[in-house]
Structure formats: structure tokens, C-alpha cells
Amino acid sequence: MLIDNYKAVRKNIDEACARADRSPEDVTLIAVSKTKPEENIEELYHAGVRDFGENYIQELRQKYDDLPKDIRWHMIGHLQRNKVKYIAEYVTMIHAVDTYELAQTIEKEAVKHNRRIPILIEVNVAEEDTKFGVSCQEAPKLVKRIAESLPHVLVSGLMTSAPFVQDPEDNRPVFRKLRQLSVDINNENTDNENVDMKTLSMGMTNDYIVAVEEGATLVRVGTAIFGARDYSHRQ
Ligand SMILES: *Cc1c(COP(=O)(O)O)cnc(C)c1O
């Protein structure tokens, strides 16, 4: 049963919190349901799970239409500007913003729906060529620029996808660096009401335990809950 997987992950998170002297309530587990059928989501929903993460707009739109409206949908994948309009009305948080232009589009769509949309800045901490995200040097400038000019966008923190490594310990410095960056940005923006750096979205199946030890407040776990993904049916 999926809920047993979910609970096992949750237990690991709670134990990591204890080791790091953190409160378990400060860490939200997002069940990453991309490519997985709606029945899987319903099964967890009925056991009380509300936070789900998706990467593909069409899939997210379909699941949103079909499933209970109190689900908190996190858009965790790379987002094209022309797709923002399909999720702006209901998305809980957009995790991977790495350009001012994307934030501008989010602002425009947020205004249309008369809401403020929480976003995270995606940081490519390890500077991998294959990944999206701004550098640690660029992140503070991007936060500032967004916060000064886009009032319907709430900069809620930082997000990263750490490198794929055999030993999750190897990602500890990456998580530590993102946390420090978040603290620094928060200190620079204490009187800016469009910045609230409370969220640190880091850690996936392979490395979420280390991420929690290093301060993650949102972990995005797919495989450990739903099993391996099958992409062969995607167009
Ligand atoms: C797919 C995905 C995840 C979940 O990855 P798992 O290794 O299956 O836990 C987390 N974050 C992002 C951005 C993803 O695209």
C-alpha cells in the first residue's frame, strides 16, 4: 500500500528532525505524483495526504480537474512562460523560477486571478550544465528584482535539485550552501514584504534525509512513495 511507503518516508523525516534538533511540523513531505495515475493520488488523499508535486502542465491540469479541490498542488518542474496561465488560478507554489521574465508572467496571471502566488527561486548550487536554475551569485539579485517590482509574486524561499550521487552524504555541502544562501537573502530583505524566505525545497528520494538534517522545509519525494516511474507512454 502506498500509504505504508509514505509513512516510512515520513518516519525517516521525523527521525532526521530529531537528530537535527528540529520540529517535525517544520517539514512538509510533498508526494511527487508525476506520471502516476489518479488512483494513486486518491489512495493517499483518503489517508490524509494533501501535498502533491507535479512536473507537466497538461497532466497537472487534468488531475486538478478530476481530484478533490483541497489538494495542494506544487508545480515542481521547469515551467514555460506560456503555460503559467493553466495553473495560476489554483497552484499552491511554483518551485522552479529562475528568470525574471517567468516571474513577470506569474505576476500577470496572479493579477488576473486576484491572488498572490508563492514562488521559489531555483538555484543550481552545484553549477551542473544540464540543470536549470540561477547561480548562488545571481540568486540575491533575482530575488531583489522580483520583490521590488512584482507585488503579486511572493518570494517564499529557494529550491534546488542536487546532483545524482551514489552516496547522499556527497550532497550535504550542496544543501548546506543553499540554506546559508537563504539566510543571507533573508537578512538582506527583512523589511521587504514581498520576500519571506521561510521555505527551503530540497531533497528527493535519494537524499531527502540529508536534506532534512540540513534544514529542508519541503522535501519532494516520488520514487520512494510510488515506485519507479514509467515514461514510455508519454508523447
Ligand atoms: C521527479 C522529481 C522529484 C522526485 O524525484 P524522486 O527521485 O522520484 O523522489 C523531485 N523534484 C523534482 C524537481 C522532480 O522533477
Side-chain angles (χ1 to χ4, degrees):
M1 292 254 289
L2 296 180
I3 191 61
D4 296 324
N5 298 341
Y6 180 91
K7 282 181 177 161
V9 172
R10 186 66 239 187
K11 184 161 179 278
N12 289 336
I13 292 170
D14 293 352
E15 288 170 0
C17 284
R19 283 194 297 280
D21 206 10
R22 303 183 59 200
S23 167
E25 294 97 80
D26 292 345
V27 183
T28 298
L29 169 55
I30 297 173
V32 176
S33 45
K34 65 183 179 213
T35 78
K36 297 296 177 180
E38 292 177 356
E39 302 81 75
N40 283 186
I41 296 174
E42 280 171 326
E43 188 178 331
L44 290 176
Y45 178 87
H46 290 302
V49 179
R50 291 294 179 272
D51 289 276
F52 291 90
E54 291 283 339
N55 287 49
Y56 311 105
I57 293 296
Q58 260 180 312
E59 183 181 346
L60 174 50
R61 183 77 227 188
Q62 190 65 50
K63 285 172 172 172
Y64 170 77
D65 285 342
D66 295 345
L67 294 166
K69 293 296 172 281
D70 61 340
I71 288 179
R72 290 184 287 273
W73 294 107
H74 296 258
M75 176 57 196
I76 64 173
H78 180 69
L79 180 57
Q80 288 168 302
R81 296 176 65 186
N82 60 355
K83 304 278 176 67
V84 175
K85 57 177 178 282
Y86 299 113
I87 58 169
E89 186 180 351
Y90 60 87
V91 71
T92 291
M93 186 173 268
I94 297 177
H95 285 234
V97 177
D98 64 354
T99 64
Y100 181 74
E101 289 69 30
L102 175 58
Q104 267 184 316
T105 305
I106 295 170
E107 166 78 17
K108 211 173 77 192
E109 295 299 325
V111 169
K112 280 189 202 159
H113 296 287
N114 193 25
R115 65 179 294 223
R116 204 174 190 202
I117 299 180
I119 67 156
L120 304 176
I121 303 299
E122 181 175 14
V123 184
N124 185 356
V125 179
E127 308 206 353
E128 292 174 280
D129 292 341
T130 52
K131 288 213 173 123
F132 293 105
V134 293
S135 66
C136 290
Q137 288 77 14
E138 292 298 318
K141 285 180 251 175
L142 181 57
V143 171
K144 222 177 179 51
R145 195 168 167 213
I146 292 172
E148 279 171 358
S149 55
L150 307 177
H152 296 80
V153 171
L154 177 61
V155 182
S156 304
L158 305 179
M159 176 270 203
T160 199
S161 292
F164 185 77
V165 289
Q166 287 302 328
D167 182 357
E169 278 300 325
D170 293 347
N171 280 336
R172 193 178 290 278
V174 171
F175 297 140
R176 200 167 280 179
K177 197 165 173 191
L178 192 72
R179 163 125 206 272
Q180 188 55 54
L181 183 61
S182 164
V183 170
D184 293 344
I185 293 175
N186 192 48
N187 289 340
E188 285 169 22
N189 292 280
T190 43
D191 50 3
N192 193 328
E193 64 169 29
N194 292 328
V195 181
D196 150 25
M197 300 295 289
K198 285 205 181 80
T199 302
L200 215 44
S201 172
M202 57 189 196
M204 305 167 35
T205 289
N206 194 41
D207 54 17
Y208 68 93
I209 294 175
V210 175
V212 169
E213 289 171 357
E214 294 301 328
T217 68
L218 294 181
V219 293
R220 312 178 305 266
V221 177
T223 308
I225 297 172
F226 297 101
R229 283 178 292 273
D230 177 3
Y231 287 98
S232 61
H233 305 296
R234 290 194 62 84
Q235 306 86 341

